[in-house]
């Protein structure tokens, strides 16, 4: 039986050091409250988009932290608790499917991120954001492509958002039975598409997204989503 692949301690230390390069530069410039922001659920066809903001203390380094998509559920859960303990502050915000349909997913993502920032106390003095800019947030900021693999603060936010959203979707799986939300978290898997074909949409579905455009929306008004 094959054993678990070992991690070279020196290479891991180098990777973590690289993930703090943006933060170190900002801390050196006097920005003590640097917040990392990321979202989860942007590519789903059901459920909210969830954003998190995390302010790490200068010099913080969390062993094993990485883009949430590259971690197991067990590792994400353990890291989420460690991040909450070490962070100067953190906040999570969710925007509902109805709002996503009304304003589009990019604007809903920005709205969730802005809500997360405003949930921090004290307010950060600089933002590191995964991929997008937040024009409605009057703080200095930098959008970093693949930021969840290049910034420890953004990676920390991606982990908190992923753990929170997965827990939300597991709860919705019990409320809206038959869709499998607890397994696929609202992504457009084959299982999920078959459930939509069989049952029609529910209040968690984003009616502006394919393959839901043109579906009978009456089925989605049976019970309001719990946001």
């Amino acid at each position: 039986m094959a054993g678990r692949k070992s991690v070279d301690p020196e290479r891991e230390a180098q990777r973590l050091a690289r993930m703090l390069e943006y933060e170190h530069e900002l801390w050196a410039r006097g920005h003590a409250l640097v917040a990392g922001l990321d979202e989860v659920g942007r590519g789903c066809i059901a459920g909210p988009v969830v954003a998190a903001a995390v302010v790490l203390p200068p010099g913080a380094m969390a062993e094993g932290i990485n883009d949430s998509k590259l971690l197991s559920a067990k590792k994400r859960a353990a890291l989420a608790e460690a991040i909450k303990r070490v962070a100067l502050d953190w906040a999570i915000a969710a925007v509902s499917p109805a709002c996503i349909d009304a304003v589009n997913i990019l604007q809903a993502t920005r709205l969730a991120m802005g809500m997360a920032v405003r949930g921090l106390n004290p307010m950060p003095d600089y933002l590191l954001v995964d991929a997008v800019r937040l024009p409605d947030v009057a703080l200095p900021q930098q959008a970093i492509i693949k930021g969840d693999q290049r910034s420890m603060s953004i990676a920390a936010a991606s982990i908190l958002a992923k753990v929170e959203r997965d827990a939300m979707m597991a709860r919705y799986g019990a409320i809206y039975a038959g869709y499998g939300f607890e397994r696929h978290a609202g992504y457009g898997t084959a299982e999920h598409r078959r459930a939509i074909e069989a049952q029609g949409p529910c209040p968690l579905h984003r009616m502006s997204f394919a393959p839901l455009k043109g579906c009978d929306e009456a089925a989605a008004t049976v019970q309001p989503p719990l946001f």
Side-chain angles (χ1 to χ4, degrees), residues 83-159:
I83 290 163
K84 290 176 181 178
R85 286 195 300 270
V86 74
L88 296 177
D89 201 10
W90 57 273
I92 298 172
V95 169
S96 73
C99 182
I100 292 169
D101 285 337
V103 302
N104 77 48
I105 186 59
L106 175 58
Q107 295 308 318
T109 297
R110 287 172 168 158
L111 178 60
M113 287 181 168
M115 291 165 60
V117 171
R118 286 185 283 274
L120 297 171
N121 185 23
M123 287 290 286
D125 54 30
Y126 202 98
L127 307 179
L128 295 174
V129 190
D130 185 47
V132 303
R133 290 193 61 82
L134 306 179
D136 294 333
V137 178
L139 289 169
Q141 57 191 269
Q142 182 175 0
I144 304 172
I145 302 300
K146 295 187 177 179
D148 44 13
Q149 297 179 35
R150 299 172 63 194
S151 159
M152 189 167 291
S153 299
I154 295 176
S158 80
I159 290 167

Side-chain angles (χ1 to χ4, degrees), residues 157-180:
S158 80
I159 290 167
L160 293 196
K162 174 67 172 168
V163 170
E164 177 69 17
R165 190 178 187 279
D166 282 355
M168 292 173 68
M169 295 306 292
R171 293 194 296 270
Y172 290 134
I175 296 169
Y176 302 108
Y179 292 98

